[in-house]
Amino acid sequence: MDTPTKQPTPAEKWDGLYSKGAAYKPLSPLLLKAILDRAEQMTGHRPDTALDLGCGTGDSMSKLKAAGLKQVSGIDCSAVALDEARQANPDCDLTVADLNELQSSDFANRKFDLVMCKLTVAFLKDKAGFLAAAKGMLTDDGILCVITPVLHEGIEYAKEDKPGIAVDYRGFSRLLNENFGEVTELHHDYFGDKGDTVTFLAKS
Ligand SMILES: C[S@@+](CC[C@H](N)C(=O)[O-])C[C@H]1O[C@@H](n2cnc3c(N)ncnc32)[C@H](O)[C@@H]1O
């Protein structure tokens, strides 16, 4: 009988990709403005502090700082990505941790006005557990912002659309609405030719 092959841990998988130069679509200035404007509409003020979950090499963190946020922190499982993120963001607080165990990370007891998660949630095993942990890291009127490619029921996606990097739109929306009092969506650009991308903003 064949011995089952050992699956790489998230850290092994992503360190391998970043070591080969992996890079992801940067946060567009237009989308960042739309996120900050919508967050302000939902809370009555601009966020001062942010945490980027799955921050990768730190592009979103640099842009959040440039947009005026006072303190920006990041978590990623890839030490390789964080080395790069640290060079670009020497004043940000960065931690290597597995988001599948967010509730037991060093950050679990800290609170942020904005918790971002861009192009990452599709890779997490327990999305309900992740959302509950992320919610626990928000200030009283804090905003969770999840940017993710989505798949729509009834649409057949081509292999090039990379269904593995997307979440089911209806199921993920339902999960957010079960966990948060107010959920709003920006259906913005198309992710190149890789299907629809949605930004969800959620508040307790
Ligand atoms: C597609 S990349 C996006 C990176 C970044 N958010 C961006 O938009 O450039 C997905 C990121 O999620 C991180 N990631 C994936 N699974 C993770 C996990 N279980 N724990 C922590 N980080 C994870 C990867 O290391 C990678 O940096």
Side-chain angles (χ1 to χ4, degrees), residues 6 29 32 36 41 82 90 134 140 173 187:
K6 187 181 161 288
L32 177 58
L36 295 175
Q41 277 166 20
L82 287 194
D140 287 347
S173 277
H187 287 249

Side-chain angles (χ1 to χ4, degrees), residues 129-141:
F130 168 74
L131 290 180
K135 183 179 174 184
M137 300 167 91
L138 293 171
T139 50
D140 287 347
D141 63 354

